[in-house]
Amino acid sequence: MKGEHHLAISVVAAAAIYATTRSVPMIATFLAAGVLLDLDHWMDYWAEYGPRFDIRHFLNAIATKAFRRAFVLLHAWEGVILSAFLTWWTGWTPWLAGLTLGWGIHLLLDQGFNSPSPWAYSLLWRLWGRFDYKRAFPKPYEPEDPGT
Ligand SMILES: [Zn+2]
């Protein structure tokens, strides 16, 4: 899912959470996790193309699936489970609850819209497959129809 879609959905959901909880820490971490989680794609980008900061090339690489490895360490249900456990363990700390919700919704959206294999967002599963990108995201890149 594209960043602007994550942003739009996260803002709407954050408004609903704020209307319900009135917790600024909760919506702050919810928004951070919902929107900024994709920053971990930079690690994959640098692993593939070396240390550079070319946003256009980065976005094109993401869009065309031009990677051999899918590390994306934050795109991991294991992290959401750990965050949920910590939320419970700390007595439902609002900022941890927001982090867990934002992280989980981000992964649900990616799971639904990025055409991954069913286990693609398990860090352990990706590690088991040596972070092979095509194993996690087997659907080949298909250019969008420019229309007529
Ligand atoms: Zn993502």
Side-chain angles (χ1 to χ4, degrees), residues 7-80:
L7 176 63
I9 291 169
S10 293
V11 166
V12 170
I17 291 170
Y18 184 75
T20 305
T21 66
R22 300 287 180 204
S23 173
V24 172
M26 183 180 278
I27 63 165
T29 54
F30 176 85
L31 283 170
V35 177
L36 300 179
L37 201 74
D38 283 335
L39 289 177
D40 67 356
H41 287 287
W42 279 99
M43 189 179 74
D44 291 21
Y45 179 73
W46 289 324
E48 189 74 38
Y49 298 102
R52 57 196 280 193
F53 197 77
D54 183 339
I55 292 178
R56 183 187 297 186
H57 186 258
F58 168 76
L59 293 174
N60 186 57
I62 297 287
T64 60
K65 300 184 170 188
F67 293 92
R68 289 173 291 175
R69 299 277 178 256
F71 296 110
V72 282
L73 299 180
L74 296 176
H75 284 71
W77 285 110
E78 292 88 340
V80 177

Side-chain angles (χ1 to χ4, degrees), residues 133-145:
Y133 190 92
K134 292 199 179 340
R135 180 174 180 258
F137 302 97
K139 187 177 176 187
Y141 166 65
E142 296 170 8
E144 292 181 19
D145 183 358

